[in-house]
């Protein structure tokens, strides 16, 4: 979309970041409720209306719907990465 703007990788930085969005529920939520919410979100994400909004807001890059278990693994990895970064910057106590 921005052919004259280099990416971080093109500038020599081995880093890629993207926006992500999530819905959260209490850890002890009823699994049936979790599945119901995930099913509704899956339907919404597949809709033409959402696809249009996603494109208008440039959210389509790295866009992927993760199921609850996949998202749990993803967020744990994000926490690990940012903890290392903040520690390296001396921002953790």
């Amino acid at each position: 979309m921005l052919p004259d703007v280099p990416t971080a990788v093109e500038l020599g930085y081995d880093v890629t970041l993207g926006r992500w969005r999530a819905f959260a529920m209490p850890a002890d939520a009823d699994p049936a409720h979790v599945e119901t919410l995930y099913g509704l979100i899956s339907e919404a994400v597949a809709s033409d209306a959402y696809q249009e909004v996603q494109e208008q807001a440039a959210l389509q890059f790295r866009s992927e719907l993760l199921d609850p278990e996949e998202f749990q693994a993803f967020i744990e990895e994000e926490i690990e990465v940012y903890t290392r970064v903040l520690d390296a910057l001396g921002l953790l106590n």
Side-chain angles (χ1 to χ4, degrees):
M1 291 183 70
L2 302 170
D4 298 329
V5 178
T7 66
V9 173
E10 290 170 338
L11 291 174
Y13 299 99
D14 184 18
V15 64
T16 55
L17 299 173
R19 295 183 273 179
W20 53 265
R21 296 147 321 272
F23 286 90
M25 298 179 78
D28 62 350
D30 182 330
H33 294 165
V34 173
E35 285 305 311
T36 297
L37 181 59
Y38 178 70
L40 292 169
I41 292 168
S42 297
E43 288 178 29
V45 167
S47 73
D48 291 340
Y50 179 77
Q51 296 302 315
E52 185 177 319
V53 167
Q54 181 173 250
E55 180 136 348
Q56 290 172 348
L59 299 174
Q60 72 273 26
F61 304 106
R62 299 181 65 190
S63 184
E64 181 180 3
L65 178 63
L66 303 177
D67 69 32
E69 293 78 23
E70 291 169 326
F71 184 75
Q72 182 66 41
F74 168 79
I75 196 68
E76 287 172 4
E77 185 176 324
E78 288 283 273
I79 291 168
E80 182 181 316
V81 166
Y82 286 104
T83 299
R84 286 195 319 262
V85 169
L86 292 172
D87 188 42
L89 293 172
L91 298 173
L92 293 180
N93 296 329

